[in-house]
Amino acid sequence: MTPNTWLGIVGFFFFVSPGLYYDRKTALKRMKPPESTFAEISRVALVSTVCSVPAVLLLSGFAAVCAWRRWKILPDPAALLKQGTSYYADNFVRVSVTFLAAAVLAVVSAELLYRWVHRNDKGTITFESAWRAVLQVDAPGGTVPHARISMKDGSVWTGEIAHYSRGTEVADREIVIAPPITRKPKPNQNGPRAEAGKFPDVYERVILKDTEIAYIAVKYEPDRNTSPSTGTAPSHQTSGAHHSPSPAQNTAQAASAGTGNP
């Protein structure tokens, strides 16, 4: 490890990581306006510097106490800068623990700053796709989503949702439906009205692109692959059912009738 390398680690802990943490937390409360890469980097660096000041002050105060009590707990900054790699190698534990403590204090400062700045902001912004929320999260247990998908060309597809893209980018999303599949062709302005019909069973999946979809209507139906458990074995007898006598019983009845008194 060279001095430039460990100085780079220190710079990341103090001037990058707190700002990244704060930026990530802030994204859950407020939508950021479009900005240039330079503006984003500058904001992260500024927030990191502000959050690192309390960490530096706390470490400096602790270093002063250690010097007063003659505790050799923290590394010597002057020796670290002069000797560089050799000092770091000889005092690896002390230097690493000090850097880690500084990073933790800076991130804690970023968390306190976030809570103070957004103390009046209610709710949380999620970046979850509405497709996942409707097709998976909201589906009751033991059910599967069935969709009626209206395309921009006027055609309509219906079927069970088999798969779907979980990303938020519209251009990359797709949805897959499975049997029973029906399709209503797009309207023919010069011909008879198109009626919905069953899609050929030979095709087991149909892929539809989000860019071609106008809207999706969803309902939840019981899963055909899940059979409800009753907890008892099915009964093979029905109350009030007629039971035919066996051939042996018929023979005995006939013999008794032939020897009986008239």
Side-chain angles (χ1 to χ4, degrees), residues 200-241:
D201 293 335
V202 67
Y203 301 106
E204 298 182 358
R205 298 290 188 272
V206 174
I207 303 174
L208 304 174
K209 292 187 66 64
D210 188 13
T211 53
E212 302 173 1
I213 297 175
Y215 70 86
I216 303 175
V218 179
K219 64 178 180 179
Y220 307 106
E221 295 186 358
D223 190 353
R224 295 172 298 173
N225 298 324
T226 304
S227 57
S229 177
T230 58
T232 58
S235 176
H236 296 286
Q237 296 183 353
T238 305
S239 177

